[in-house]
Amino acid sequence: HLKALLFDVDGTLAETEELHRLAFNAAFAGQGLNWHWSQDLYRELLQVAGGRERIRAWLAQAHAHLLEQPDIDDRIAVLHRLKTDHYTAGVAAGRMALRPGVARLIGEARSAGLRLAIVTTTSRANVDALLAATLGTDWEELFDAICSGDEGLPKKPAPDAYRWTLDRLGLDGGDCVAIEDTANGVQAARAAGVPVLVTESLYSRGEDFDGALAVLSDLGEPGQPFHVVAGKDPG
Ligand code: XBP
């Protein structure tokens, strides 16, 4: 018996990753670094969840000697703060919209008495900016638990964010359905015992979503229905 829907944020609620990529590049430029992440490179870098972790992973492959600098953690933190500022400013300027069916499903789920939660590894500032801009400043009232990167948990595909959220809700994984857009997200949810539905996003299309209930183009709106990419049509 379904009791709650657990929503990932980036790529699932909105196609945010391109704005994240531009924000990383703007932060690099702001620090006088001539580093640039192309779309192809960023698709690979997205295997590592979390902005700070992603910068570090890229340094390890592109500028490994920099990781030996004693102040490298601080320098990554500065870059990441700048990146967050660029990203949240872009979102606040209205550059992000919710994906098809997201607002409808949130409304219908609430009306049906389901509980809702956010389970993301992105920074809380990014979640606040996106959901205030798209759902309104009272958006927090819609959700019974909000897990973000600020909780300091191991990031997806680790199941910790899902376990933390289930604990907050007092529910078992099997009482819930997660909605995710990446293979990392599917693995995180499954490892916490949560069945997961995938809505493919621009950067995750074609990933291996093994273990998902189904893979959909999006959540669908009346008149522009989703299509099933893989798995059984959930009806
Ligand atoms: C989202 C992410 C995040 C964002 C950047 O993961 O991987 O890292 O790209 O966010 P998920 P921060 O959708 O699996 O939750 O820069 O704030 O870390």
Side-chain angles (χ1 to χ4, degrees):
H1 178 62
L2 182 63
K3 295 186 178 140
L5 295 181
L6 315 183
F7 288 94
D8 170 50
V9 173
D10 290 299
T12 299
L13 298 185
E15 285 284 8
T16 54
E17 285 301 350
E18 191 55 11
L19 189 58
H20 279 295
R21 184 182 72 88
L22 297 173
F24 281 110
N25 285 334
F28 299 152
Q31 290 294 91
L33 299 161
N34 67 347
W35 300 344
H36 181 266
W37 289 357
S38 67
Q39 291 185 340
D40 283 345
L41 174 61
Y42 196 61
R43 181 167 288 108
E44 289 168 32
L45 296 177
L46 277 171
Q47 299 305 316
V48 178
R52 276 184 302 273
E53 292 84 348
R54 191 167 299 144
I55 294 170
R56 176 176 290 281
W58 177 71
L59 287 175
Q61 71 184 51
H63 301 280
H65 64 283
L66 292 180
L67 291 178
E68 278 150 38
Q69 294 183 349
D71 64 342
I72 190 63
D73 288 345
D74 295 338
R75 295 185 62 188
I76 291 174
V78 167
L79 281 171
H80 189 252
R81 265 199 300 280
L82 271 175
K83 177 263 173 179
T84 301
D85 290 345
H86 283 291
Y87 176 83
T88 54
V91 171
R95 290 179 61 187
M96 282 295 128
L98 296 177
R99 291 187 64 191
V102 169
R104 177 185 54 72
L105 181 59
I106 288 174
E108 289 177 3
R110 292 280 302 184
S111 303
L114 293 182
R115 297 163 75 196
L116 303 179
I118 294 289
V119 188
T120 178
T121 57
T122 201
S123 306
R124 179 61 193 245
N126 299 344
V127 181
D128 285 337
L130 180 70
L131 295 187
T134 54
L135 291 174
T137 48
D138 292 340
W139 70 271
E140 277 182 73
E141 290 167 21
L142 296 168
F143 296 93
D144 299 285
I146 301 164
C147 184
S148 74
D150 292 21
E151 303 305 332
L153 299 167
K155 299 197 169 170
K156 299 174 189 176
D160 301 65
Y162 277 99
R163 290 200 179 124
W164 185 96
T165 303
L166 292 174
D167 199 49
R168 279 293 160 109
L169 295 173
L171 294 177
D172 291 327
D175 298 330
C176 309
V177 167
I179 301 166
E180 279 280 359
D181 72 308
T182 64
N184 273 342
V186 171
Q187 285 171 35
R190 296 291 295 133
V194 182
V196 49
L197 198 61
V198 172
T199 51
E200 282 189 320
S201 61
L202 289 174
Y203 274 103
S204 73
R205 201 157 289 151
E207 284 185 2
D208 178 1
F209 300 116
D210 202 31
L213 290 172
V215 183
L216 309 177
S217 56
D218 55 70
L219 292 171
E221 292 287 7
Q224 46 170 98
F226 62 81
H227 62 270
V228 177
V229 178
K232 218 160 64 196
D233 191 330

